[in-house]
Structures are given as C-alpha cells and as structure tokens.
Amino acid sequence: MVSVDRAQVMAYRVAAMGLATRSRQRPADLPVLDLGVQEYTSGSDHVALAARTSAGLDDDRLIMVWAARGPRTCTAEPTWRPWSNSSGR
C-alpha cells in the first residue's frame, strides 16, 4: 500500500486543479476546462479563471451551460413513474 501524508495529498490536488502556477494560456486552453468551472455567484467563474492564468479573461471560445454534476447511472427501467391523479385522468 502506498502511504501519503496530508501535505502530499494537498499538493497533488492543487496541481491537478491547475492552481500550482499561473499560466499565460488563454482561458479556453486551460486544462481545468476539461471539466469546466462553476459559477456559484455572479463573477466567480472569472475568479476561478484568473487564479489559473495571467492572460485576459475575455475569450470568445468560452460558453456558459446549465448543467448538473453527479454520477452517471444506467438503468434498464425508468426510475420514475408518470404522475396520475386519483380520478384516473
């Protein structure tokens, strides 16, 4: 079994999230965008990008999407049932 301490884990996470060094790449070229950045509050996406690059944040290749993160699930049968009222309509 591999043994790591807290400092090693945190160093790995900081590097994996692209926060170890600021690059000069344009925002759309940042590796973090393989997963995307979230906008929790207005402008927080710009803060996330500015923490990773010294380039200008206006990049016409970026788009905003409404998405939900979560586990992928595959089921053979639907996990929901259509709603019906008590009168059978």
Side-chain angles (χ1 to χ4, degrees):
M1 177 181 276
V2 176
S3 178
V4 294
D5 63 21
R6 183 179 188 283
Q8 290 171 305
V9 171
M10 295 304 291
Y12 173 80
R13 291 185 67 180
V14 166
M17 289 187 271
L19 295 169
T21 59
R22 287 180 75 202
S23 75
R24 294 185 179 147
Q25 292 178 299
R26 292 178 62 197
D29 297 324
L30 294 171
V32 72
L33 290 183
D34 290 347
L35 297 174
V37 295
Q38 291 180 319
E39 182 180 42
Y40 293 106
T41 59
S42 181
S44 63
D45 54 335
H46 281 85
V47 173
L49 295 173
R52 292 167 171 89
T53 184
S54 59
L57 300 180
D58 292 328
D59 191 332
D60 59 355
R61 298 172 298 159
L62 296 177
I63 60 170
M64 182 177 286
V65 298
W66 287 82
R69 293 185 180 186
R72 294 183 185 173
T73 57
C74 296
T75 58
E77 302 218 5
T79 57
W80 58 273
R81 299 286 180 249
W83 178 81
S84 64
N85 62 23
S86 59
S87 67
R89 290 190 218 174

